[in-house]
Amino acid sequence: MNNSAANVSTNGDSTTVSIGLVNSLEICVYLINLLFCLPTNSYVMRLIVTGTGSGIVSEFFILNLSVCEIGICLNSLIFVLSMWFRGLSTCEQFLIGFSITGRPLFQCLMCVERYLAVVHPVTFLKYKPLRYRVICCTAAWIICLSSCFLCMFTLDAQYAVYVWFLTMQLLVFLFIKLFCLSAVLRALKQSGPGERGRERGEENHMKRRAFYLILITTVTTVLTYGPITITGFFYIVTHNYVDRPEVWLSGFFCFVLAGFVQPVLYLQRTGKISRFSCKI
């Protein structure tokens, strides 16, 4: 997801410096994203496909999210190359849909899954089979690819439409994720009819780990989608972000680099983080 600074026509040396600064920092952020997200998500995909984790059925959403993150890494690579090969700009704009729609959509599916598993376990067991997950992911990929085509045709021609689409979409995703995560946190804090002795201690330990995991996910969600959503509203109101590049860069930095958080949490949960560090 780039800022399309070329679309903004303003005068003055300060504007030129701002555009150059934004482009340089964008390249750095995308390179960091490529170097960290590509190996982590590739390793997660390998673990899920080979059956090392909990099984492909229970981790089907994570698998699709990792595939989407690989597409985002490809977008990072093409964005850097498009600085020298302008013919790649159309492909880069197409892949932006993976960032602004694919990632938050699959993360929303994971949050809804956790919400059902904790708050409505009977409904979760009813829709737990793989066929329901395949249906949800198929619909998600259709929406993601539609967003890719929309970005390809509107990013340069109608940038204001693109910003409206980005902002409203991320706002909806942010609301859904925070609703599900907050409901799960409330449910985990409530003391249920636990068993005595050792089994109760193990149950409390598992609930405590799940609580911290959901808490980290909630904080990450706010840091990922909050700044970029505020940036979108800032552009809608002012119709300009070049005069205040730090406003754009703060949201952009958090949004792009959040791609490695989910795979790292998965590797930590499965106990593979130390082995992955050794391989790197």
Side-chain angles (χ1 to χ4, degrees), residues 67-271:
V67 174
C68 183
E69 292 291 346
I70 297 297
I72 296 175
C73 293
L74 182 61
N75 175 44
S76 301
L77 177 61
I78 293 180
F79 173 80
V80 176
L81 294 178
S82 65
M83 293 294 177
W84 295 275
F85 304 98
R86 296 296 179 182
L88 297 174
S89 59
T90 302
C91 181
E92 186 264 334
Q93 292 173 1
F94 176 83
L95 293 174
I96 289 176
F98 286 89
S99 299
I100 68 172
T101 302
R103 174 194 289 173
L105 186 54
F106 285 113
Q107 288 180 348
C108 275
L109 290 177
M110 294 171 58
C111 289
V112 172
E113 180 187 37
R114 292 168 180 170
Y115 168 77
L116 293 177
V118 176
V119 182
H120 303 286
V122 177
T123 305
F124 172 75
L125 293 175
K126 180 180 179 181
Y127 294 101
K128 187 179 180 180
L130 180 61
R131 63 178 180 274
Y132 296 108
R133 301 170 189 263
V134 172
I135 293 173
C136 292
C137 289
T138 301
W141 279 113
I142 293 175
I143 296 173
C144 178
L145 293 177
S146 300
S147 175
C148 291
F149 283 106
L150 181 63
C151 293
M152 185 173 62
F153 291 114
T154 63
L155 189 55
D156 285 336
Q158 298 177 335
Y159 188 70
V161 175
Y162 164 76
V163 175
W164 269 99
F165 172 72
L166 167 67
T167 306
M168 296 299 107
Q169 180 180 243
L170 293 183
L171 187 63
V172 172
F173 288 139
L174 179 62
F175 174 79
I176 295 175
K177 291 188 66 177
L178 289 181
F179 171 79
C180 295
L181 292 172
S182 60
V184 172
L185 288 175
R186 287 196 303 267
L188 291 175
K189 286 185 66 177
Q190 295 176 356
S191 57
E195 300 179 3
R196 297 181 178 180
R198 180 180 178 182
E199 293 182 358
R200 182 175 181 179
E202 293 177 354
E203 180 184 357
N204 291 334
H205 177 68
M206 293 178 61
K207 288 182 64 176
R208 189 161 50 249
R209 285 190 58 186
F211 179 84
Y212 288 130
L213 176 63
I214 298 299
L215 183 61
I216 293 174
T217 305
T218 304
V219 174
T220 304
T221 297
V222 174
L223 295 178
T224 302
Y225 299 106
I228 197 67
T229 304
I230 296 174
T231 302
F233 281 112
F234 178 83
Y235 176 83
I236 291 172
V237 173
T238 62
H239 299 285
N240 188 11
Y241 54 79
V242 177
D243 293 336
R244 298 289 304 276
E246 66 276 6
V247 177
W248 159 259
L249 289 174
S250 59
F252 171 78
F253 185 85
C254 295
F255 187 82
V256 173
L257 295 185
F260 73 92
V261 175
Q262 190 63 45
V264 168
L265 290 177
Y266 173 81
L267 293 176
Q268 192 276 334
R269 178 167 57 88
T270 56

